[in-house]
Amino acid sequence: QVQLVESGGGLVQAGGSLRLSCAASGRTFSNYVMGWFRQSPGKEREFVSRITWTSSRTYYADSVKDRFTISRDNAKNTLYLQMNSLKPEDTAVYYCAAGYVYSANPNEYNHWGQGTQVTVSS
């Protein structure tokens, strides 16, 4: 199976930017559809973005569209999430996930990282 480790979270002021990374090891990274999800206290895990095996397609939640950009580098076994124009409501633990189905449903993803905290102050 694949192991996933997120990094790049932190504290940022509203309007600022962060770039999250998700390093993969184990099975071939390029075999997987990848997604980003987030979860705030008391809320269910929420879909953020997904990307196909070859980066041919990407999809974003309406709440992050035009502010966040997902990308992947299969040569480096790494997934990215560039987050711009951050808002306090973006505050959450962000998770990367790997699966075989190009889906926004977290249940379709088989492997998860441990998460990285993003806090946006107003």
Side-chain angles (χ1 to χ4, degrees), residues 6-75:
E6 301 95 337
S7 62
L11 174 64
V12 64
Q13 288 189 331
S17 298
L18 283 174
R19 188 194 197 198
L20 304 184
S21 298
C22 172
S25 61
R27 293 214 169 189
T28 306
F29 177 68
S30 59
N31 287 348
Y32 294 94
V33 170
M34 298 298 296
W36 285 102
F37 294 81
R38 66 187 182 185
Q39 190 167 19
S40 303
K43 294 187 178 181
E44 291 188 354
R45 192 162 295 190
E46 174 189 22
F47 166 76
V48 174
S49 183
R50 63 183 189 259
I51 188 168
T52 53
W53 303 264
T54 59
S55 305
S56 60
R57 282 192 294 165
T58 59
Y59 191 83
Y60 299 91
D62 287 344
S63 58
V64 307
K65 199 175 296 182
D66 299 324
R67 299 189 298 121
F68 290 11
T69 302
I70 190 171
S71 62
R72 65 190 296 167
D73 186 336
N74 287 344

Side-chain angles (χ1 to χ4, degrees), residues 88-109:
E89 51 264 43
D90 294 319
T91 296
V93 177
Y94 283 71
Y95 299 89
C96 64
Y100 297 104
V101 179
Y102 185 62
S103 171
N105 184 347
N107 294 325
E108 298 283 6
Y109 289 80

